[in-house]
Amino acid sequence: MTVMLHRLDTLARPDHGWRAVCAWGDLIPERGAAALVDGEQVAVFRLHDASVAAVGNRDPFSGAHVMSRGIVGNRGEVPTVASPMFKQVFDLRDGRCLDDPTVSLECWDARVHGGLVLLRRRS
């Protein structure tokens, strides 16, 4: 697993809960990377439209922290990631499993500001 441990926290606005995890250019389009945010593993994705998305890195079906290694794609207009373990597909906008709507991944707000990827735990 690739874990990005950049010390960029001071560049984000901690008063609003945002944490910088990497430079946008560090991310490969349509691939994921794992980041450690406040002790939690987060899967961060740079999508084909240059936006970023972030979900919890723990696959709820297998319990393994592997979502950053999932297959990025889409179902219609919905950006998705498929678990590399059992191939369940998750909506990257809200973490909902498209194969079993009773299961979901934790979702994080993600944005790019000043060339940095910023994450914030979604309330």
Side-chain angles (χ1 to χ4, degrees), residues 18-99:
W18 291 99
R19 299 282 187 250
V21 295
C22 66
W24 180 81
D26 289 343
L27 298 175
I28 299 169
E30 300 295 308
R31 303 284 177 147
L36 192 60
V37 182
D38 296 331
E40 291 193 46
Q41 290 189 35
V42 181
V44 183
F45 302 93
R46 178 173 153 188
L47 304 178
H48 73 287
D49 64 359
S51 67
V52 292
V55 294
N57 199 34
R58 183 180 175 276
D59 175 356
F61 291 95
S62 70
H65 289 84
V66 295
M67 294 309 298
S68 64
R69 294 294 181 214
I71 300 166
V72 177
N74 60 50
R75 282 198 182 165
E77 297 298 313
V78 177
T80 62
V81 62
S83 168
M85 298 298 286
F86 302 122
K87 310 303 184 250
Q88 287 88 356
V89 177
F90 295 86
D91 184 335
L92 284 172
R93 299 171 305 176
D94 62 12
R96 181 177 47 95
C97 180
L98 300 178
D99 300 315

